[in-house]
C-alpha cells in the first residue's frame, strides 16, 4: 500500500507516520510528500529521509488547477491513500472525489466538537473536561467526514493552549499510524458516515 | 443546602441523587420534587420516600405563567439549587434568571457534541468512538451552559441505542451526585462559561 503525504508545516504527524514506515512497523510505503509551502520543515525532513518530496507552488493558480496538479503527482506515484498532515488548504470537491474515502486527516478535538482552526483553544474556552483527537476520512465539509479512530485526553485545571495541544499531539502520533495500520490490513469498512473496524 | 428536583419521567437521576442524600452521603436535603406529568414514576418514588412532591399541571398555562408557578413552589421550599432530572420542558429566560447558575442539568453526551433529543442515537449515527455525559449549569440555550463535570464512555462496535444509553446512564448516576457534592462543598466557581473546581 502506498501513501501520499500532504503537509504545510513541521509535519509532526508525517514524522510519526514515517518513523513507523521506515522502521518496518507499518506495512506500507510513502510514495511521495508534497507541500504547498516551500520552507515547510516537514518537507525538509522528507528530503533528509530520501523520500520523493515536492514543493508544488500554489501561487497564481486557482484551487481547481492547483488541486489537479497535486492529484497528478499523487497518481504518478500510484498513491492508494492520501494523508493530510497539517495541510493548511481546503480540498475542493474534485480532489475529494478523485480519492473517495482514501483521504485521511487528523484533527485535534473529539469531533464533531470543535471543528476548524484552533480546536484546542476552542475546547479550553468552552470549558470541556475532556478533549482529544480524531482520524477521519475527508469529505467536502469542514472536518466532517467518517471517523476512523479517536483518542481522549483530560483537560486539566491549569491547562494552557500549549499544554493541552502537547497532550493531544502525543495521542495524534499514536492513532494516526494506528489508523493507517487498519487500512493496510483492510480492516476499515465505511458504511454511510459510520466506519466499522473489522476484527 | 437545599435541592429542588424537576422531573417528567422515571427520574433515574433523581433516584441516584436521592439515594445519596437519604443515606447521608451527600450533605444536603431535597426540599421538593416537582413534576409536570402527573403519572411520572419519579414522582411516585418521591412520594414513597416521603419527600415533598408536587404535580404542577401545565395545561392551559403559557410558559411564563407555568414557570412562575414552579419558581414559587421552589422558593417556598427555600431551594438553593434546582436539579433537572429528565424534565422535558425548556426553561424560559425568567426561570433561568431567577436561579442564575443555580440550575443543573445532565445530558447524555460529551457536550458541545450532540445537544438536544436522542443524544445517544445522534452519537451512534455520527460514528464517534467515544461519548459520555455532561453535568452543566442551565442557561437559556439548548444544553449550552457552563460545564461542571463530564464522563467518557467508549462506543462499542455493536452498540445499540439501548446498550450505549445504559453505559452512559451508569456514569450519569455517578457524576450528577458528584457535581452536587462539589456545590455543597462550595468548590464550584463559574468564570464566564468556564467552571473551575476548587481543590
Amino acid at each position: 500500500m502506498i501513501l501520499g503525504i500532504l503537509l504545510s508545516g513541521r509535519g509532526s504527524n508525517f514524522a510519526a507516520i514515517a518513523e513507523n514506515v521506515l522502521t518496518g512497523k507499518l506495512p506500507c510505503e510513502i510514495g511521495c510528500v508534497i507541500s504547498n509551502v516551500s520552507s515547510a520543515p516537514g518537507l525538509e525532513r522528507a528530503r533528509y529521509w530520501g523520500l520523493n518530496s515536492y514543493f508544488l507552488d500554489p501561487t497564481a493558480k486557482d484551487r481547481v488547477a492547483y488541486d489537479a496538479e497535486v492529484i497528478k503527482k499523487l497518481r504518478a506515484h500510484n498513491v492508494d491513500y492520501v494523508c493530510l498532515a497539517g495541510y493548511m488548504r481546503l480540498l475542493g470537491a474534485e480532489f475529494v472525489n478523485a480519492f473517495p474515502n482514501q483521504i485521511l486527516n487528523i484533527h485535534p478535538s473529539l469531533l464533531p466538537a470543535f471543528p476548524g482552526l484552533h480546536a484546542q483553544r476552542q475546547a479550553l474556552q468552552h470549558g470541556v473536561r475532556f478533549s482529544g483527537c480524531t482520524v477521519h476520512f475527508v469529505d467536502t465539509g469542514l472536518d466532517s467526514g467518517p471517523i476512523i479512530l479517536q483518542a481522549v485526553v483530560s483537560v486539566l485545571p491549569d491547562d494552557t493552549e500549549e499544554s493541552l495541544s502537547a497532550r493531544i499531539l502525543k495521542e495524534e502520533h499514536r492513532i494516526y499510524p494506528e489508523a493507517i495500520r487498519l487500512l493496510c490490513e483492510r480492516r476499515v469498512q465505511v458504511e454511510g458516515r459510520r466506519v466499522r473496524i473489522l476484527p
Side-chain angles (χ1 to χ4, degrees), chain A:
Chain A
M1 209 183 77
I2 302 175
L3 307 178
I5 309 277
L6 304 188
L7 57 80
S8 303
R10 62 184 169 165
S12 81
N13 273 299
F14 153 61
I17 294 165
E19 279 163 11
N20 276 277
V21 171
L22 298 173
T23 57
K25 287 182 200 150
L26 270 182
C28 58
E29 53 188 293
I30 293 172
C32 62
V33 178
I34 300 171
S35 179
N36 63 323
V37 175
S38 64
S39 61
L43 196 58
E44 186 53 45
R45 193 153 15 184
R47 286 196 196 101
Y48 174 81
W49 278 329
L51 299 169
N52 300 313
S53 310
Y54 305 95
F55 161 59
L56 296 184
D57 190 351
T59 313
K61 282 166 205 140
D62 67 18
R63 188 160 75 181
V64 173
Y66 184 72
D67 281 1
E69 197 179 322
V70 175
I71 292 168
K72 194 175 162 194
K73 190 63 82 183
L74 293 166
R75 296 272 190 232
H77 288 281
N78 296 309
V79 160
D80 299 298
Y81 287 96
V82 180
C83 299
L84 308 187
Y87 186 60
M88 301 304 283
R89 287 176 63 91
L90 289 174
L91 304 187
E94 295 83 359
F95 200 141
V96 172
N97 295 329
F99 291 94
N101 287 338
Q102 293 167 282
I103 309 174
L104 278 71
N105 187 34
I106 189 150
H107 182 81
S109 77
L110 289 175
L111 290 171
F114 314 124
L117 289 176
H118 307 304
Q120 303 94 334
R121 192 188 306 170
Q122 289 183 59
L124 285 175
Q125 288 174 346
H126 199 88
V128 292
R129 297 310 186 201
F130 298 94
S131 191
C133 50
T134 302
V135 183
H136 64 94
F137 287 115
V138 172
D139 64 12
T140 53
L142 178 64
D143 301 322
S144 61
I147 291 168
I148 305 172
L149 290 177
Q150 296 186 299
V152 177
V153 309
S154 292
V155 178
L156 302 181
D158 295 316
D159 259 336
T160 61
E161 192 176 347
E162 291 64 36
S163 65
L164 177 60
S165 298
R167 197 175 312 114
I168 292 174
L169 194 63
K170 207 171 152 185
E171 292 301 298
E172 293 178 44
H173 294 170
R174 182 176 67 79
I175 69 171
Y176 209 166
E178 180 59 25
I180 293 167
R181 169 185 308 284
L182 294 171
L183 289 166
C184 290
E185 296 171 350
R186 304 193 183 287
R187 292 170 57 198
V188 178
Q189 195 170 299
V190 184
E191 300 165 353
R193 75 148 293 119
R194 295 176 64 169
V195 175
R196 179 170 283 275
I197 306 298
L198 304 176

